[in-house]
Amino acid sequence: MEHEDEFPILVAQEGPLKGQRWSLSHALMVGRDPTCDINVQDRQVSRFHARITPTTEGVTVEDLGSKNGTNHNGVELTGPVMLQDGDLLGIAIAQQFLFLTSDATMPLAEGGIRPGRLMMDNKSRRVWVNQQQVTPPLSAQQFKLLWLLYENQGQVISRADLVATVWGEDQMAGVSDQALDALIRRLRDRIASLDPTHQYIDSVRGHGVRLDNPPLRRIKDHGRSIRKILARILSTTRIAALGTIRDEEPRVSMVAFIAALDYSAFYVHVSRLAQHTVDMQKNKQVSLLIAETDDGRADPQTLARLSIRASAEFMENGEPGYAPVKKMYIETFPESEQLFQLADFGLWRIKPKGARYVAGFAKAFNLTPETLQKVSQK
């Protein structure tokens, strides 16, 4: 009789199927159609979205011409890819999967150390925070320190015991407090890059250090959480990087912008004397990059950003829609009112043709104009 752990497995991460797993003993079809082996009921998912196929060489994944794409470790698939242990797959913005070559490499949720937001597997030296694998792996010293705390969750471990475990009893006499503090700080930063909302490693003054590992948070709809982040960025950010083409070369400048209430368009008010305006008059193909403000986090690459491919259209004063856009622009940027009196300034409409949302490793998704408009819906 064949056992599941003889085959690679696919474990659902963030999304509606979170927690489910499939043995890859045969090819699996992923999509919205009820006949698919892995059925993801989300409008961002195509009826037949992707296929995962075990072969004599390994397991491959391929996108089947889906509308919103499939990503492999954060990179959009353009052809079949051979999967490696620990790889992450994203089906549009709806569902993520973790690929494991064996069930033994997944940390146990039962029959072992109690599960929490942070989970570890000593055999494979893997660490997960909120079911997201820490990549690249922790250093040997970081793992030793965290594993000691993990085995004794909630208990205060003395600094002497931490030093003895990490550096060895023979070397501990030469290890300074500063060296241990620096190691703890680096470890905190690695964990915070995946979950900045909680401090897992607590220092108890005069006693030592303990691991505070709260229960795993349940996120019912990963797509909804992404839309919430996008809505916040688009409703609070006022500046963007505008990409234009000049002499067949890309150019970038900073512009103030406002968004249509349904995010079907973005608007800039610029002078026709500005070089980016000259560029738009010659070539309507443009892009906008809208990003979160840097908050000083350890890994700035986890800041969410939206890159929009678009076409630029000049708006004539008096055309339908001009007056409400002008009103909204002045309400957002009061100092611009006097610029509307100048003949060389004008409104341009930036119409999205597609977009790319990125918020760190394995968190990159293609978005359609329809998806952007869906973000505006409550």
Side-chain angles (χ1 to χ4, degrees), residues 351-368:
K351 290 282 292 182
K353 297 192 294 184
R356 180 91 168 156
Y357 168 86
V358 181
F361 181 78
K363 295 181 179 178
F365 308 97
N366 292 329
L367 304 175
T368 64

Side-chain angles (χ1 to χ4, degrees), residues 230-292:
L230 278 171
R232 174 172 53 80
I233 295 173
L234 295 177
S235 63
T236 61
T237 307
R238 302 191 305 161
I239 60 172
L242 172 66
T244 58
I245 298 174
R246 186 187 318 160
D247 299 329
E248 298 184 351
E249 294 183 349
R251 304 298 173 104
V252 180
S253 57
M254 188 189 80
V255 293
F257 79 94
I258 61 170
L261 295 178
D262 62 355
Y263 304 137
S264 61
F266 300 83
Y267 302 94
V268 297
H269 188 236
V270 292
S271 169
R272 70 166 182 263
L273 302 178
Q275 188 60 61
H276 48 230
T277 308
V278 176
D279 295 342
M280 290 190 292
Q281 290 171 335
K282 294 180 179 179
N283 191 324
K284 307 300 184 184
Q285 308 309 307
V286 299
S287 63
L288 277 181
L289 175 63
I290 305 169
E292 281 187 298

Side-chain angles (χ1 to χ4, degrees), residues 1 73 203 215 301 342 370:
M1 181 176 178
N73 292 334
S203 295
Q301 300 242 41
L342 303 179
E370 293 75 23

Side-chain angles (χ1 to χ4, degrees), residues 158-169:
S158 70
R159 294 175 67 88
D161 286 343
L162 290 171
V163 172
T165 297
V166 175
W167 281 274
E169 293 184 1

Side-chain angles (χ1 to χ4, degrees), residues 74-301:
V75 179
E76 184 179 0
L77 288 179
T78 57
V81 169
M82 189 74 69
L83 293 174
Q84 304 296 323
D85 191 35
D87 281 356
L88 290 170
L89 300 178
I91 303 298
I93 64 172
Q95 181 67 56
Q96 285 194 340
F97 295 96
L98 173 67
F99 172 77
L100 298 172
T101 55
S102 168
D103 197 31
T105 63
M106 186 68 181
L108 295 177
E110 298 178 359
I113 296 172
R114 66 182 183 276
R117 290 194 211 173
L118 186 147
M119 299 183 73
M120 301 183 69
D121 179 62
N122 192 29
K123 182 179 179 181
S124 64
R125 299 287 180 175
R126 296 177 186 273
V127 179
W128 291 262
V129 180
N130 270 342
Q131 293 198 346
Q132 300 175 81
Q133 186 176 328
V134 177
T135 307
L138 298 180
S139 69
Q141 289 186 337
Q142 290 171 348
F143 190 91
K144 287 179 182 179
L145 189 151
L146 187 58
W147 180 252
L148 178 60
L149 297 175
Y150 187 74
E151 284 188 304
N152 300 277
Q153 293 186 42
Q155 300 179 35
V156 178
I157 307 299
S158 70
R159 294 175 67 88
D161 286 343
L162 290 171
V163 172
T165 297
V166 175
W167 281 274
E169 293 184 1
D170 295 341
Q171 303 293 326
M172 62 183 299
V175 179
S176 66
D177 287 341
Q178 290 79 8
L180 179 59
D181 289 339
L183 178 62
I184 292 173
R185 184 174 62 253
R186 291 194 296 270
L187 181 56
R188 281 175 175 156
D189 287 344
R190 292 298 308 278
I191 296 172
S193 68
L194 292 178
D195 185 5
T197 66
H198 180 73
Q199 180 163 293
Y200 290 79
I201 302 176
D202 282 341
S203 295
V204 182
R205 187 178 295 276
H207 296 279
V209 178
R210 70 183 181 93
L211 179 67
D212 180 9
N213 191 12
L216 183 65
R217 293 179 296 184
R218 298 296 179 184
I219 302 176
K220 296 182 179 179
D221 187 341
H222 185 53
R224 185 178 302 169
S225 68
I226 292 176
R227 289 192 287 269
K228 185 176 180 180
I229 294 172
L230 278 171
R232 174 172 53 80
I233 295 173
L234 295 177
S235 63
T236 61
T237 307
R238 302 191 305 161
I239 60 172
L242 172 66
T244 58
I245 298 174
R246 186 187 318 160
D247 299 329
E248 298 184 351
E249 294 183 349
R251 304 298 173 104
V252 180
S253 57
M254 188 189 80
V255 293
F257 79 94
I258 61 170
L261 295 178
D262 62 355
Y263 304 137
S264 61
F266 300 83
Y267 302 94
V268 297
H269 188 236
V270 292
S271 169
R272 70 166 182 263
L273 302 178
Q275 188 60 61
H276 48 230
T277 308
V278 176
D279 295 342
M280 290 190 292
Q281 290 171 335
K282 294 180 179 179
N283 191 324
K284 307 300 184 184
Q285 308 309 307
V286 299
S287 63
L288 277 181
L289 175 63
I290 305 169
E292 281 187 298
T293 302
D294 188 353
D295 55 10
R297 67 183 64 178
D299 185 2
Q301 300 242 41

Side-chain angles (χ1 to χ4, degrees), residues 16-17 29-33 36 38-50 63 66-70 90-97 227 371 374:
L17 304 180
M29 184 73 72
V30 184
R32 200 177 71 249
D33 192 272
C36 289
I38 302 178
N39 184 237
V40 186
Q41 285 302 313
D42 189 289
R43 294 184 63 185
Q44 305 306 312
V45 178
S46 297
R47 290 181 60 242
F48 300 98
H49 197 104
D63 184 81
S66 66
K67 184 175 182 180
N68 292 312
T70 302
I91 303 298
I93 64 172
Q95 181 67 56
Q96 285 194 340
F97 295 96
R227 289 192 287 269
T371 304
K374 190 175 181 179

